[in-house]
Each structure stands twice: as C-alpha cells, then as structure tokens.
Amino acid sequence: MGLLHSEKIWIIFAGMTIGEIFAKILDAAVPVYGGREAHAVARYIMRERFGVSRADLVMEPDRDAANPEDLGRILSEVAAGRPVQYITGSVEFCGLRLQVSPGVLIPRPETEELVEWIISDAPATPSILDIGTGSGSIALALANAIPGAKLTATDISGEALEIARKNAQDTGLDINFLQNDILDPATSGRIGGRFDIIVSNPPYIPQRQAASMHINVRNYEPSGALFVPDDDPLLFYRAITGFSTSGLKTGGALYFEVHEESADDVTRHLAAEGFRKVELRCDINGKKRMVRARKS
C-alpha cells in the first residue's frame, strides 16, 4: 500500500535538526519579507511551534527537532505570505495568550500602549465597553489588569465573537459579548447601560492604501476590520462618538486608536461634539495613534 501524501512529507522532514528546520523556514520567508524580517518570522515560528528559543538555535543548532510532521504546511503558508500568527494560531497580547485566525485582526503592540493608558487612568471597578472587539484582546487585557472591572464587548462579526468567547474561556476572564453593528442605531440601542469607559480600535485605513500594504495584511486579515471609504475616514469615529454622548457617564472617558493621517480630525470632531480634555498621544514609533476625551 502506498503512503499518503502527508505521510511522505513527514518522512522527508523526519530526523531534521532545529538548525535545518530554521534554515528551511528562513528560505521560505526571505522572498516574502526580506532578510531582517524573515529572520524574525522564522524565529517566531521556531519559538511558537517548535518551542525553540533564539538561544537554542545559537547554542544547539544540531539538536533533533520534535514533531516536524506539519513543516510542509508551515513552509507553504510562509511562502504564501500568511501571517505567522495565523500559522501558529495564537499571539501574546498584554501577557495573555490569545487565539487568532483570519476572522479577526492580529493584535498589534501599538494597541498594547492604548490598553496601558486606559489601565493607568481607570477608576475603581469601572464599567467598560469595547466596540469592535475582534479577538477580544482589548477587553480581555483590561479585565485581566483592572480588579473588579465589568466588561462588555461588541462586534458585528459572529465569527470574531466566537473567537473572542473562546479566548475568554481559555483565559478564565468574564466578558459580556454582544453582536452589534455600531453604524446601525437600531442595533446600538441594544447595548444598554452607561459606561465609565468606552474604547474602540475601529477600521480606519483608507481603502486607497490597500494596494501598498504588505500581502500578509492585505490578503489575509479581514478587510472589514481594516478599511474605510477614502471619502469618509471618520465613519466609525462619528458613530462611536455619537453613541458615547449617551453611552458614557458624565466624566467618563472615550479612547480611540487612530490612523496618524486622521488623528487631528478625530480630535477636532470630539471637541466639536462637546467632549473635553481631548488628548492625542503618539505611540513608541512617534506616530499619532491614541486619543482620549472626556464627556462633559
């Protein structure tokens, strides 16, 4: 009886060292990412999939690798530009291990800075609403870091909410998840309650920029969570600000992640809508990235 295709692949890769596997992943990554980023991609996969650290690669490159049976799949996905977080199926965010798949955006380090800002500001036992939660990353990080916080998280995508609920289950954190379209006032009314904090990392990339983005974002991450019409970059900010005029308690805080091109427009819109103490912050890379405003 002949071998199945997957069995043949396993035999080809069986007995490889960790150094040899790293070299194969690197060869697949270089045409997609270039040299420096390809090394980071290969090291990430070695750590997350094979449990091999950078130090292991330097000190013990000839060590036998464990469980290489899915290396063929990994190599083909790396060569196709699939994000490494989707390849390994998880990402670390604010100290939490979260599942991710193409149904949700991959949480970014810049968003961790927004979370840290909220944590530093938060009152005791706050009620918090996360709009457009995706994988649940922001809501889960806040629930984990703020004692007694009561979290509600919404998203238009049922697939995203399924992933977010699984992440809540895996981390043992209590989040109230709701399916909601913030652009539809009829469904926004179902959220109910008034909150101390509302936070959102909404779609904000102008559609015209899609062609210039790397294929690992453009071809794999959900476009509905990324892009807005070129002629209406504040589409979601207007809707969320409008909801927050009634959804926030007096003195409550509204936090946004923003696109650097529209950051100043967002702050002006918040001020025009009667919010006070509007503050714009840059991220670690010096880009205008975060806004906080308080309800009068």
Side-chain angles (χ1 to χ4, degrees), residues 70-216:
D70 63 344
L71 182 57
R73 172 189 63 82
I74 291 172
L75 294 176
S76 64
E77 291 183 350
V78 170
R82 187 178 179 90
V84 291
Q85 295 89 346
Y86 291 161
I87 294 173
T88 63
S90 68
V91 65
E92 185 172 315
F93 182 82
C94 291
L96 298 173
R97 175 64 54 181
L98 304 178
Q99 293 187 18
V100 290
S101 72
V104 296
L105 290 182
I106 297 164
R108 264 62 172 188
E110 296 87 349
T111 307
E112 292 184 318
E113 296 181 60
L114 177 63
V115 169
E116 290 166 2
W117 190 7
I118 297 171
I119 292 169
S120 69
D121 278 354
T125 62
S127 57
I128 304 175
L129 172 64
D130 174 25
I131 298 175
T133 195
S135 65
S137 57
I138 292 176
L140 291 164
L142 293 174
N144 187 55
I146 304 173
K150 182 179 180 182
L151 269 295
T152 299
T154 72
D155 204 286
I156 191 174
S157 167
E159 182 180 1
L161 289 172
E162 183 177 345
I163 295 168
R165 289 189 178 102
K166 182 65 168 61
N167 283 326
Q169 180 181 355
D170 290 347
T171 55
L173 295 166
D174 184 19
I175 310 288
N176 177 32
F177 291 106
L178 297 172
Q179 190 164 10
N180 166 255
D181 178 3
I182 195 62
L183 299 181
D184 182 355
T187 64
S188 296
R190 300 172 192 164
I191 295 174
R194 299 178 72 213
F195 299 88
D196 297 297
I197 294 169
I198 295 177
V199 57
S200 184
N201 177 17
Y204 57 63
I205 300 173
Q207 187 65 49
R208 67 178 183 278
Q209 294 183 3
S212 64
M213 297 179 75
H214 197 278
I215 61 169
N216 67 345

Side-chain angles (χ1 to χ4, degrees), residues 6-59:
S6 60
E7 292 174 331
K8 293 178 182 178
I9 291 175
W10 185 88
I11 290 173
I12 291 171
F13 294 130
M16 294 183 69
T17 67
I18 61 174
E20 290 170 337
I21 288 180
F22 177 80
K24 283 190 173 294
I25 297 172
L26 185 61
D27 286 345
V30 166
V32 180
Y33 296 97
R36 178 177 294 183
E37 191 173 356
H39 275 82
V41 165
R43 287 195 297 269
Y44 184 93
I45 293 172
M46 293 301 295
R47 183 181 72 247
E48 296 296 319
R49 172 61 188 84
F50 296 99
V52 174
S53 70
R54 188 171 186 173
D56 293 333
L57 287 167
V58 173
M59 302 298 293

